[in-house]
């Protein structure tokens, strides 16, 4: 058992400002000399890039279905042993999804800081606060943030609207911290699709984080929350060195940037040596035993990827040598014959996976997925705005959490490809088989 101050930052709905508040808290306490560790609830690659910049430390995801309760518990415990503050950014609204942010809070005893977009409300703010606090038992509300407030008078109206008695057994709203953050377009984080832009795309992110931290410093949020207990998981197995001596080339640049921190660490803990490379900027991939092509935004850089024929030839030579390559989502699109972008421009790509990838304005798939191969299972999630037309027959099909048909899994020689973003720690043994090219 260990103790560490902690908060789960949540909201009634997406777009309320969870990431901004979490990042502001992280930056404020980091610049005050504290060791801050951030987590992101749910399978998300984008918000963690901002939280890494804010905290200066690696950011892990927490999802008890994809990753398992024991694994999540151990991640939190490990962080608590070497931190002065743990911040968990929730996903969607507090009670949305399975598992929800509320589920995480109850499972791990995390106090909740609710961020409410108050820009278009006054007394109704109190009703929203009351609903968040009383909808489900077993949660601790540490405080409320009224975000995008128009004036001091507006803040006073919101503060007065909070009911004196929020939960049975509590005395008054004075038990809670209340903070009002002003509306400020200069610190608003730019968005794309259903979320924010990644940190590398926001040129003035550092300035925005500093300004956000300055705003937080003038509120009750500047005070550390009370320490809570964190426990080690009794059921975490040792990670076998199944990739000992192997070198894996990992694509990582603006086009391929959707990487779980845990995936990279688990490859290393299994004994692999990782070499990062850029399909956009490099002329050839590094010498390696296997390649990992994660997801990202190949559609935004399709012209540059198509023009880099030397890199394409290098990757194709790796595949022709019967060396393994694992591709996920955007990485799979890079393998296609052609990619058609939102402007209907056609871009010739690797032609390893014969077919056409077509971008769309509408979301094509979203949610957790599980693959079963014999007695082995592997979990992950899918999130894409494209479709793939191919005559290649899949070797398997993933399924959603409720058992519905999910994404196809393709195998072409030593290449494995799917729309699913896999979470490697959910089955390190199967991942090792993939990278060793030893699937039956």
């Amino acid at each position: 058992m260990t103790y560490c101050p902690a908060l789960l930052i949540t909201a009634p709905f997406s777009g309320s400002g969870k990431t901004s508040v979490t990042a502001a808290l992280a930056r404020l306490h980091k610049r005050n000399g504290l060791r801050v560790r951030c987590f992101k609830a749910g399978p998300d690659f984008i918000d963690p890039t901002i939280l890494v910049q804010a905290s200066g430390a690696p950011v892990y995801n927490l999802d008890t279905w994809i990753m398992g309760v024991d694994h999540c518990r151990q991640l939190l415990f490990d962080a608590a042993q070497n931190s002065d503050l743990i911040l968990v950014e929730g996903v969607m609204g507090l009670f949305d999804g399975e598992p929800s942010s509320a589920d995480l809070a109850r499972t791990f005893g995390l106090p909740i800081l609710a961020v409410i977009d108050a820009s278009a409300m006054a007394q109704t703010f109190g009703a929203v606060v009351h609903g968040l606090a009383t909808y489900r038992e077993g949660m601790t509300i540490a405080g409320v943030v009224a975000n995008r407030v128009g004036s001091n008078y507006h803040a006073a109206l919101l503060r007065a609207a909070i009911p004196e008695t929020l939960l049975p057994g509590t005395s008054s709203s004075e038990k809670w911290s209340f903070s009002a953050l002003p509306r400020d377009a200069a610190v608003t984080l730019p968005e794309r699709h259903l979320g924010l832009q990644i940190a590398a795309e926001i040129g003035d992110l550092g300035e925005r984080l500093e300004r956000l931290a300055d705003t937080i410093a003038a509120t009750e949020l500047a005070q550390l929350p009370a320490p809570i207990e964190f426990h080690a998981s009794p059921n975490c197995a040792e990670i076998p060195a199944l990739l000992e001596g192997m070198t894996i080339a990992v694509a990582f640049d603006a086009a391929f940037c959707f990487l779980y921190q845990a995936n990279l660490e688990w490859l290393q803990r299994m004994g692999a040596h990782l070499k990062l490379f850029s399909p956009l900027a490099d002329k050839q991939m590094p010498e390696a035993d296997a390649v990992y092509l994660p997801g990202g935004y190949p559609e935004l850089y399709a012209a540059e990827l198509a023009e880099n024929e030397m890199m394409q030839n290098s990757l194709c030579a790796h595949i022709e040598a019967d060396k393994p390559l694992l591709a996920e989502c955007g990485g799979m699109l890079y393998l296609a014959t052609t990619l058609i972008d939102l402007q209907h421009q056609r871009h010739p790509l690797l032609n390893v996976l014969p077919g056409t990838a077509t971008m769309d304005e509408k979301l094509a798939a979203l949610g957790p997925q599980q693959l079963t191969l014999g007695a082995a299972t592997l979990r992950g999630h899918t999130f894409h705005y494209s479709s793939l037309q191919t005559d290649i027959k899949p070797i398997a099909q993933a399924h959603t959490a409720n058992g519905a048909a999910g994404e196809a899994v393709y195998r072409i020689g030593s290449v494995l490809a799917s729309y699913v973003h896999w979470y490697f720690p959910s089955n390190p043994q199967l991942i090792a088989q993939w990278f060793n090219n030893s699937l039956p």
Side-chain angles (χ1 to χ4, degrees), residues 113-367:
L113 177 68
V115 180
I116 301 173
D117 182 352
S119 58
M121 68 173 74
Q123 285 80 5
T124 302
F125 181 83
V128 176
V129 172
H130 185 271
L132 292 176
T134 61
Y135 183 75
R136 185 178 298 176
E137 295 180 353
M139 298 186 302
T140 300
I141 306 295
V144 181
V145 177
N147 198 21
R148 300 165 188 154
V149 174
S151 65
N152 290 337
Y153 175 68
H154 187 195
L157 286 177
L158 300 170
R159 176 64 183 83
I162 299 177
E164 290 188 0
T165 303
L166 296 167
L167 291 170
T170 61
S171 58
S172 76
S173 57
E174 294 299 328
K175 291 193 67 172
W176 296 24
S177 71
F178 171 81
S179 301
L181 302 181
R183 187 184 299 118
D184 187 353
V187 299
T188 301
L189 300 175
E191 298 183 357
R192 174 190 292 120
H193 297 324
L194 295 182
L196 301 172
Q197 292 183 11
I198 62 173
E201 297 175 302
I202 308 173
D204 62 345
L205 179 59
E207 297 172 14
R208 294 179 190 232
L209 291 174
E210 289 298 326
R211 186 160 176 171
L212 282 165
D214 291 341
T215 303
I216 291 286
T219 72
E220 293 184 34
L221 295 173
Q223 304 301 315
L224 281 177
I228 64 168
E229 293 181 6
F230 289 93
H231 298 268
S233 172
N235 301 314
C236 283
E238 290 293 323
I239 301 172
L242 299 174
L243 298 175
E244 190 68 43
M246 175 174 283
T247 297
I248 300 177
V250 181
F252 184 69
D253 57 20
F256 303 99
C257 52
F258 290 175
L259 280 165
Y260 286 122
Q261 175 70 23
N263 279 8
L264 299 181
E265 290 190 7
W266 252 249
L267 291 177
Q268 292 173 318
R269 291 170 71 174
M270 285 191 286
H273 173 62
L274 305 184
K275 292 182 178 180
L276 301 183
F277 74 101
S278 169
L280 280 172
D282 297 336
K283 296 305 179 185
Q284 63 180 20
M285 57 163 281
E287 184 66 31
D289 302 299
V291 172
Y292 178 27
L293 281 178
Y297 300 112
E299 70 276 11
L300 299 181
Y301 303 93
E304 292 94 326
L305 290 170
E307 290 170 2
N308 194 351
E309 294 183 2
M310 292 183 67
M311 174 57 72
Q312 291 191 34
N313 293 338
S314 177
L315 284 166
C316 287
H318 172 92
I319 295 167
E320 289 167 2
D322 201 34
K323 294 182 177 181
L325 183 150
L326 174 61
E328 301 172 341
C329 199
M332 180 179 70
L333 301 192
Y334 186 36
L335 300 180
T337 306
T338 304
L339 189 151
I340 303 175
D341 63 24
L342 290 175
Q343 288 71 46
H344 308 294
Q345 297 295 312
R346 303 176 68 90
H347 305 276
L349 295 177
L350 266 67
N351 195 29
V352 171
L353 179 55
T356 300
T358 305
M359 300 304 302
D360 199 337
E361 296 281 1
K362 296 180 179 179
L363 183 64
L366 171 66

Side-chain angles (χ1 to χ4, degrees), residues 7-13 18 40-42 62-64 69 76 88-114 131-141:
L7 288 172
L8 185 146
I9 296 88
T10 187
F13 52 85
K18 296 189 301 291
K40 172 63 184 179
L62 297 173
D63 185 295
T64 55
V69 171
L76 287 166
V88 179
E89 182 193 343
V91 59
M92 300 184 290
L94 175 57
F95 302 105
D96 297 330
E98 294 181 5
S100 66
S101 297
D103 294 328
L104 278 179
R106 295 181 69 184
T107 300
F108 302 114
L110 300 169
I112 290 170
L113 177 68
L132 292 176
T134 61
Y135 183 75
R136 185 178 298 176
E137 295 180 353
M139 298 186 302
T140 300
I141 306 295

Side-chain angles (χ1 to χ4, degrees), residues 345-412:
Q345 297 295 312
R346 303 176 68 90
H347 305 276
L349 295 177
L350 266 67
N351 195 29
V352 171
L353 179 55
T356 300
T358 305
M359 300 304 302
D360 199 337
E361 296 281 1
K362 296 180 179 179
L363 183 64
L366 171 66
Q369 304 253 317
Q370 175 174 292
L371 175 68
T372 301
L373 290 176
T377 61
L378 180 68
R379 290 183 171 181
H381 83 283
T382 184
F383 175 65
H384 57 95
Y385 282 78
S386 66
S387 59
L388 177 69
Q389 296 79 40
T390 179
D391 291 331
I392 299 293
K393 292 184 178 180
I395 62 163
Q397 187 171 33
H399 289 81
T400 67
N402 61 12
E407 303 287 4
V409 179
Y410 300 99
R411 185 176 184 180
I412 308 99

